[in-house]
Amino acid sequence: RVAQWFYDVLDFLEESRDIAYVGMTVLDRYLAVRTRETSGSLSPPMIEPFDFEILAFTSLFLSIRVCGSGRELQIPELLQLSSSGARTSHIVQAGNIVLKKLSWDQRILTPHM
């Protein structure tokens, strides 16, 4: 379901569908690290649907910025495709968390926040 959504967004933005692979990899790696950190608990960590959507948006945004056509995609452009009430601040915060958890020493700061 997430992969199909990635494809739909990439088609809408006229970006290569190959970017979906990168986005899914980022999302999967983050979830694996998060699960490993809480492996001492009795059950795997649950993620609320809204939080999962934010993580999916963030993973796709990061992958477009890194592997996309070079177009200056802004977070609000991506959020126009959502009806969940997600905000730019959610994506920036999640992006910084994902980058830190994956040991990528970068920030997701973008102009026009």
Side-chain angles (χ1 to χ4, degrees), residues 11-28:
D11 290 345
F12 179 80
L13 296 173
E14 298 179 350
E15 292 285 350
S16 170
R17 282 184 160 210
D18 293 340
I19 296 170
Y21 170 79
V22 178
M24 290 299 292
T25 300
V26 170
L27 181 60
D28 184 58

Side-chain angles (χ1 to χ4, degrees), residues 22-61:
V22 178
M24 290 299 292
T25 300
V26 170
L27 181 60
D28 184 58
R29 286 186 61 208
Y30 171 77
L31 294 173
V33 168
R34 187 174 183 270
T35 300
R36 187 176 54 231
E37 288 179 349
T38 59
S39 62
S41 67
L42 297 176
S43 61
M46 296 299 297
I47 298 177
E48 295 296 321
F50 179 79
D51 295 332
F52 187 81
E53 183 175 336
I54 295 299
L55 288 170
F57 264 112
T58 302
S59 299
L60 185 58
F61 178 75

Side-chain angles (χ1 to χ4, degrees), residues 77-88:
E77 276 183 87
L78 195 59
L79 291 179
Q80 289 176 5
L81 305 174
S82 171
S83 60
S84 69
R87 295 189 192 136
T88 299

